[in-house]
Amino acid sequence: MAYMATDSTDIDRMPRGGPDASCLDRLLETDRLEYLDRDDVDDSTKRQVIGALDWTGRFFKNHQRFAAIALDLVADVPDPRILELGAGHGGVSRQLLADHPSAHVTVTDLDPESVARIAAGDLGSHPRAEVRQMDATAIDAADGSYDLVLFALSFHHLPPAQAAQVFAEGTRVADTLLIIDLPRPPAPLHLLRLATMLPAALVLPFAHDGVISSLRSYSPSALRALARHADPSIEVTLRNGLSLPQIVIARRAR
């Protein structure tokens, strides 16, 4: 029987592959937490994972690519106000500030250690940046405070009820919510991807978290269901590819 969400309890039972996920797709998910989300993991391991995420973002030019996608959505705004949620290392926010001469960026993360590291670096003293600790599911800002909310490569960390709340909060405080995350391929291809990742996951914290991230990623149908659950007035545009990031652009109907 296909799952249909009716309340927050039901939405948390939704498979990561969406309401109509196949039996195999439903097996390719986990409740296991990444190192970044665990309280029993040494901070040095978390720093290693965050450092690897920043390095891969710079090496593969993901920071530049994500910043370009975000800035294209506010191209008509002279001095855009941008909120980055789950910034982690701050690399994307740093790129936004470098690529736009008058953008103001609020750089946030839920983890106080990450926030402290970002604040101690160049972003902490940047005249157009503000560094804050913030929960993506309960954004501490008034309605319409920002032109764009960006959530890059962190959305999959959240279970469905909290993920739906990001849609509600992000479209409340900004005209546009941009989510960039891992794609969830069809189940047979997902199995192949996991098989190539598992050997490294046994020894490398970054690869370990990568496997779990893949298992916790949301499919396009799941993303539509989350937005619909958050508010039926939220309109969602999806762009994705088998090896490209999943791009979600969400706005409330006017």
Side-chain angles (χ1 to χ4, degrees):
M1 178 183 295
Y3 155 86
M4 293 297 290
T6 57
D7 58 33
S8 61
T9 302
D10 285 343
I11 195 69
D12 250 341
R13 291 173 35 241
M14 183 187 73
R16 299 282 174 137
D20 298 317
S22 68
C23 292
L24 177 57
D25 199 354
R26 290 166 188 255
L27 292 174
L28 297 178
E29 61 178 85
T30 183
D31 291 329
R32 185 169 181 168
L33 298 178
E34 299 175 37
Y35 286 143
L36 291 179
D37 297 324
R38 288 168 52 178
D39 296 329
D40 61 338
V41 173
D42 190 82
D43 284 343
S44 62
T45 300
K46 295 184 178 183
R47 287 195 297 271
Q48 183 179 343
V49 174
I50 292 173
L53 287 169
D54 188 23
W55 183 88
T56 55
R58 287 183 281 109
F59 184 82
F60 293 105
K61 300 189 183 302
N62 286 333
H63 297 346
Q64 291 172 286
R65 188 175 300 114
F66 296 168
I69 294 169
L71 292 176
D72 184 60
L73 293 173
V74 291
D76 296 333
V77 181
D79 305 307
R81 301 159 300 164
I82 301 173
L83 167 65
E84 185 182 5
L85 302 169
H89 43 69
V92 179
S93 284
R94 188 174 293 108
Q95 192 68 47
L96 287 167
L97 292 163
D99 291 349
H100 197 294
S102 61
H104 293 260
V105 181
T106 302
V107 192
T108 74
D109 199 276
L110 181 62
D111 177 48
E113 295 293 332
S114 293
V115 173
R117 283 194 297 271
I118 294 171
D122 58 320
L123 288 173
S125 58
H126 196 290
R128 291 184 285 114
E130 179 184 6
V131 181
R132 296 180 58 190
Q133 183 178 359
M134 192 176 291
D135 185 343
T137 68
I139 299 174
D140 183 17
D143 296 2
S145 295
Y146 299 95
D147 299 297
L148 177 73
V149 170
L150 169 64
F151 202 12
L153 300 184
S154 295
F155 189 75
H156 60 271
H157 288 264
L158 302 175
Q162 291 183 329
Q165 191 62 23
V166 170
F167 275 102
E169 284 288 278
T171 56
R172 175 185 67 82
V173 303
D175 297 331
T176 303
L177 167 66
L178 171 62
I179 298 170
I180 304 175
D181 210 356
L182 301 176
R184 187 178 187 88
L189 292 178
H190 199 177
L191 269 175
L192 181 61
R193 182 168 78 179
L194 291 168
T196 63
M197 297 169 68
L198 280 172
L202 298 175
V203 294
L204 297 175
F206 174 66
H208 168 276
D209 275 18
V211 168
I212 294 176
S213 294
S214 186
L215 292 169
R216 292 172 68 88
S217 61
Y218 287 103
S219 72
S221 65
L223 291 163
R224 292 190 183 95
L226 292 170
R228 186 167 57 249
H229 180 82
D231 191 322
S233 72
I234 296 176
E235 299 176 346
V236 172
T237 301
L238 301 178
R239 308 174 192 163
N240 72 311
L242 293 179
S243 61
L244 299 174
Q246 174 72 70
I247 298 170
V248 186
I249 302 167
R251 298 183 175 100
R252 290 183 186 264
R254 302 302 182 189

Short mmCIF file of all heavy atoms in Angstrom, two decimals, residues 5 74 78 92 99 129-130 137 155 192 224:
data_model
loop_
_atom_site.label_atom_id
_atom_site.label_comp_id
_atom_site.label_asym_id
_atom_site.label_seq_id
_atom_site.Cartn_x
_atom_site.Cartn_y
_atom_site.Cartn_z
N ALA A 5 0.84 10.81 3.64
CA ALA A 5 1.01 11.57 4.88
C ALA A 5 -0.24 12.36 5.22
O ALA A 5 -0.83 13.00 4.36
CB ALA A 5 2.19 12.52 4.75
N VAL A 74 18.75 35.57 -7.39
CA VAL A 74 18.56 36.94 -6.87
C VAL A 74 19.22 37.96 -7.79
O VAL A 74 19.62 39.03 -7.36
CB VAL A 74 19.11 37.07 -5.43
CG1 VAL A 74 18.26 36.26 -4.45
CG2 VAL A 74 20.57 36.62 -5.36
N PRO A 78 19.25 44.24 -6.12
CA PRO A 78 20.50 45.01 -6.08
C PRO A 78 21.44 44.60 -4.95
O PRO A 78 22.63 44.42 -5.15
CB PRO A 78 20.02 46.46 -5.92
CG PRO A 78 18.61 46.46 -6.41
CD PRO A 78 18.06 45.11 -6.07
N VAL A 92 30.64 28.06 0.99
CA VAL A 92 29.69 28.60 0.01
C VAL A 92 29.39 30.06 0.32
O VAL A 92 29.33 30.91 -0.58
CB VAL A 92 28.41 27.75 -0.04
CG1 VAL A 92 27.43 28.36 -1.04
CG2 VAL A 92 28.72 26.31 -0.41
N ASP A 99 31.70 36.67 -4.95
CA ASP A 99 31.12 36.77 -6.29
C ASP A 99 30.12 37.91 -6.43
O ASP A 99 29.77 38.27 -7.55
CB ASP A 99 30.44 35.46 -6.66
CG ASP A 99 31.43 34.32 -6.89
OD1 ASP A 99 32.64 34.60 -6.96
OD2 ASP A 99 30.98 33.16 -6.99
N ALA A 129 29.02 40.09 6.32
CA ALA A 129 28.64 38.78 6.82
C ALA A 129 28.28 38.85 8.30
O ALA A 129 28.82 39.66 9.06
CB ALA A 129 29.79 37.79 6.63
N GLU A 130 27.34 38.01 8.69
CA GLU A 130 26.97 37.83 10.09
C GLU A 130 26.97 36.34 10.36
O GLU A 130 26.38 35.56 9.60
CB GLU A 130 25.59 38.42 10.38
CG GLU A 130 25.15 38.23 11.83
CD GLU A 130 23.74 38.74 12.08
OE1 GLU A 130 23.05 39.14 11.12
OE2 GLU A 130 23.31 38.72 13.26
N THR A 137 15.08 24.40 11.26
CA THR A 137 13.66 24.08 11.41
C THR A 137 12.91 25.12 12.23
O THR A 137 11.68 25.04 12.35
CB THR A 137 13.47 22.70 12.06
OG1 THR A 137 13.91 22.75 13.43
CG2 THR A 137 14.26 21.64 11.33
N PHE A 155 20.50 18.96 3.85
CA PHE A 155 19.07 18.68 4.00
C PHE A 155 18.82 17.21 4.37
O PHE A 155 17.92 16.90 5.15
CB PHE A 155 18.34 19.04 2.70
CG PHE A 155 16.85 19.00 2.78
CD1 PHE A 155 16.14 20.00 3.43
CD2 PHE A 155 16.13 17.97 2.19
CE1 PHE A 155 14.76 19.98 3.50
CE2 PHE A 155 14.75 17.94 2.25
CZ PHE A 155 14.07 18.94 2.91
N LEU A 192 24.66 0.23 -6.95
CA LEU A 192 25.98 0.28 -7.56
C LEU A 192 26.82 1.38 -6.93
O LEU A 192 28.01 1.18 -6.63
CB LEU A 192 25.84 0.50 -9.06
CG LEU A 192 27.14 0.57 -9.87
CD1 LEU A 192 27.90 -0.75 -9.75
CD2 LEU A 192 26.83 0.87 -11.33
N ARG A 224 8.76 16.64 -3.13
CA ARG A 224 7.45 17.24 -3.42
C ARG A 224 6.47 16.97 -2.27
O ARG A 224 5.69 17.84 -1.89
CB ARG A 224 6.91 16.70 -4.73
CG ARG A 224 7.68 17.15 -5.96
CD ARG A 224 6.95 16.77 -7.24
NE ARG A 224 7.71 17.14 -8.42
CZ ARG A 224 8.52 16.32 -9.08
NH1 ARG A 224 8.68 15.06 -8.65
NH2 ARG A 224 9.19 16.74 -10.15
#
